């Protein structure tokens, strides 16, 4: 840590320990002792990084959630010590489970972990520590993931649903296991080319902002829906060179909402209209008042095979460019008057720029 600070390397956060909380995995530490040691980590970070504007965050305890242990830990650690309360999620079970391919498309099974997210949120919110809940590690299936599932399009049913669910329960970060390594790497371990989940994560990062909106639908449980305020977009305003020396200025604008739709059904197509609950009793619905073409990003597996390593965006395979760069991810533009068509076994990000959500104003 001292060397890293002296070299000026940019560090987002230091996480203390790994899977030592609760019953532990290979070993365990009592909550009170863990808290005392975390306080020492905080002191070291504060000394090494005196400028609070560039100071890395401190995270912990980095293990599986045990409600009583976490309560004792946060009570003992006190306020302004940990920035992120990290817990691990491997709700799909062992990677060798032959039912793994079915689990990732079973909404009832995927719903079971929602209680963990809610319990973590409640414990953190009531702790008075000023910390936020984080998923510090999650690869879906443990022991390096599933050989025929975790690196394929199918894993996106679990992964994108996890991102949506974690956000719904006020988790501020979701750390994927792993970038590279094991069957669950976002990159292929041999070629380092992106696996399908990489592109799902990239679209999430580009489109989904920090404002989370309550979203419901009256359709099949195999259709999942999550909505965020659209992420701030950088707008380049070109100006007359005689007035602005740079010739342009940058501004951040927030426009509308982005909806994520996940169709876990392998045979049913859903047609979705997006409406605002605030207008539910009005004669004119929100969907009918939208006039600007919306952006749609449809992700589907190559050849209709959900265990393919190749993902298509609006029908085009996503592959690195000849220079090894990430390809452009252009949307297709659809008239506002038409429903969103969600094909079987697909994911759709829908950006609606003229959707008026009061919660998204001035974010």
């Amino acid at each position: 840590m001292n060397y890293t600070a002296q070299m000026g390397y940019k560090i987002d956060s230091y996480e203390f320990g790994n899977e030592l909380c609760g019953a532990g995995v290979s070993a365990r530490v009592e909550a009170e002792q863990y808290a005392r040691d975390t306080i020492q980590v905080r002191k070291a970070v504060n000394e090494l990084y005196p400028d609070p504007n560039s100071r890395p965050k401190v995270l912990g305890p980095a293990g599986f959630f045990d409600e009583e242990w976490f309560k004792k830990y946060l009570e003992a650690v006190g306020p302004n010590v940990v920035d992120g309360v990290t817990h691990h999620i491997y709700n799909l079970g062992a990677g060798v489970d032959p039912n793994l391919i079915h689990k990732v498309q079973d909404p009832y099974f995927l719903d079971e972990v929602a209680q963990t997210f809610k319990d973590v949120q409640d414990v953190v919110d009531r702790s008075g520590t000023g910390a936020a809940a984080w998923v510090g590690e999650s690869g879906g299936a443990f022991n390096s993931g599933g050989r025929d599932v975790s690196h394929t399009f199918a894993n996106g049913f679990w992964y994108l649903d996890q991102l949506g669910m974690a956000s719904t329960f006020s988790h501020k970060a979701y750390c994927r296991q792993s970038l590279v390594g094991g069957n669950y790497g976002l990159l292929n371990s041999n070629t380092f080319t992106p696996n399908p989940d990489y592109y799902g994560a990239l679209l999430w990062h580009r489109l989904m902002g920090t404002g989370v909106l309550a979203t419901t639908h009256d359709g099949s449980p195999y259709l999942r829906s999550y909505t965020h305020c659209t992420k701030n977009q950088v707008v380049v305003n070109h100006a007359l060179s005689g007035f602005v020396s740079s010739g342009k200025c940058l501004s951040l604008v927030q426009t509308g909402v982005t909806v994520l739709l996940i169709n876990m059904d392998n045979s049913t197509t859903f047609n979705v209209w997006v409406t605002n609950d605030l207008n539910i009793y009005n004669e004119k619905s929100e969907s009918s008042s939208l006039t600007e073409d919306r952006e749609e990003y449809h992700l589907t597996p190559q050849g209709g095979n959900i265990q393919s390593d190749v993902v298509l965006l609006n029908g085009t395979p996503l592959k690195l460019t000849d220079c090894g760069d990430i390809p452009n991810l252009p949307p297709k533009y659809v008239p506002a008057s038409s429903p969103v068509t969600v094909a079987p076994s697909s994911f759709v990000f829908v950006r609606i720029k003229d959707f008026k959500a009061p919660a998204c104003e001035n974010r």
Side-chain angles (χ1 to χ4, degrees):
M1 290 169 66
N2 184 53
Y3 171 82
T4 301
Q6 289 182 349
M7 295 299 294
Y9 297 142
K10 186 177 180 181
I11 300 296
D12 178 82
S13 49
Y14 287 106
E15 187 174 41
F16 183 52
N18 183 63
E19 297 182 345
L20 297 168
C21 56
V25 176
S26 298
R28 70 181 300 272
V29 175
E30 294 293 341
E32 293 81 2
Q33 178 65 57
Y34 213 113
R36 290 193 293 270
D37 294 342
T38 304
I39 291 170
Q40 295 305 311
V41 173
R42 165 54 70 190
K43 289 179 178 178
V45 170
N46 289 358
E47 291 173 1
L48 289 170
Y49 301 88
D51 182 0
N53 295 318
S54 58
R55 183 180 297 155
K57 293 180 280 290
V58 172
L59 310 176
F64 295 101
F65 180 66
D66 178 298
E67 184 169 351
E68 291 305 313
W69 193 100
F70 271 59
K71 285 180 178 178
K72 291 179 181 178
Y73 170 74
L74 292 173
E75 180 180 357
V77 85
N80 304 317
V81 175
V82 287
D83 300 292
V85 179
T86 51
H87 66 107
H88 294 180
I89 293 284
Y90 284 92
N91 61 309
L92 295 178
V96 295
D97 185 351
N99 292 317
L100 184 61
I101 187 62
H102 304 297
K103 287 181 176 180
V104 296
Q105 283 188 287
D106 183 348
Y108 301 102
F109 176 82
L110 297 179
D111 276 343
E112 293 176 4
V113 77
Q115 189 63 48
T116 299
F117 283 114
K118 183 180 185 302
D119 291 344
V120 172
Q121 177 192 8
D122 289 344
V123 168
V124 173
D125 287 350
R126 295 172 182 172
S127 68
T129 59
W134 284 38
V135 174
E137 178 186 324
S138 183
F142 56 80
N143 292 342
S144 292
R147 184 178 63 182
D148 300 320
V149 177
S150 297
H151 57 89
T152 72
F153 179 89
N155 203 61
F157 295 109
W158 164 81
Y159 184 39
L160 290 176
D161 188 58
Q162 280 278 290
L163 295 180
M165 188 181 295
S167 300
T168 300
F169 290 104
S170 297
H171 283 55
K172 304 305 181 186
Y174 194 104
C175 302
R176 169 65 180 260
Q177 176 80 343
S178 60
L179 175 63
V180 61
N183 296 306
Y184 42 36
L186 291 175
L187 304 180
N188 182 289
S189 297
N190 297 315
T191 65
F192 304 114
T193 57
N195 285 322
D197 275 354
Y198 179 94
Y199 292 109
L202 183 57
L203 283 171
W204 176 283
H205 175 71
R206 290 182 177 180
L207 296 170
M208 306 291 269
T210 57
V212 183
L213 305 178
T215 308
T216 59
H217 69 80
D218 56 3
S220 167
Y222 286 83
L223 178 68
R224 308 288 250 201
S225 57
Y226 298 101
T227 307
H228 287 213
C229 304
T230 294
K231 191 170 185 178
N232 286 330
Q233 304 291 316
V234 177
V235 176
V236 180
N237 298 313
H238 291 277
L240 294 175
S241 59
F243 294 91
V244 180
S245 60
S246 65
K248 61 184 179 180
C249 57
L250 301 179
S251 61
L252 291 176
V253 296
Q254 184 101 57
T255 52
V257 302
T258 297
V259 182
L260 169 61
L261 299 168
I262 305 170
N263 186 355
M264 299 180 183
D265 195 299
N266 62 12
S267 61
T268 302
T269 296
F270 295 104
N271 291 317
V272 178
W273 282 264
V274 180
T275 61
N276 193 331
D277 275 352
L278 294 177
N279 296 333
I280 196 167
Y281 298 111
N282 292 353
E283 184 175 343
K284 188 176 183 181
S285 70
E286 177 72 22
S287 58
S288 64
S289 65
L290 301 175
T291 59
E292 189 172 351
D293 286 359
R294 63 177 178 265
E295 297 177 2
E296 294 185 3
Y297 304 79
H298 293 254
L299 297 176
T300 54
Q302 187 174 53
N305 176 17
I306 63 171
Q307 291 180 268
S308 171
D309 284 341
V310 179
V311 59
L312 279 60
L313 173 62
N314 297 326
T316 301
L318 292 177
K319 298 181 179 179
L320 297 179
T321 68
D322 292 340
C323 297
D325 294 330
I326 298 297
N328 291 329
L329 304 177
K332 70 174 184 178
Y333 293 90
V334 180
S337 58
S338 61
V340 181
T341 300
V342 189
S345 300
S346 72
F347 325 129
V348 187
F349 290 90
V350 185
R351 183 182 175 214
I352 310 174
K353 291 189 283 187
D354 55 347
F355 191 101
K356 305 301 181 185
C360 296
E361 296 177 3
N362 301 319
R363 287 194 66 86

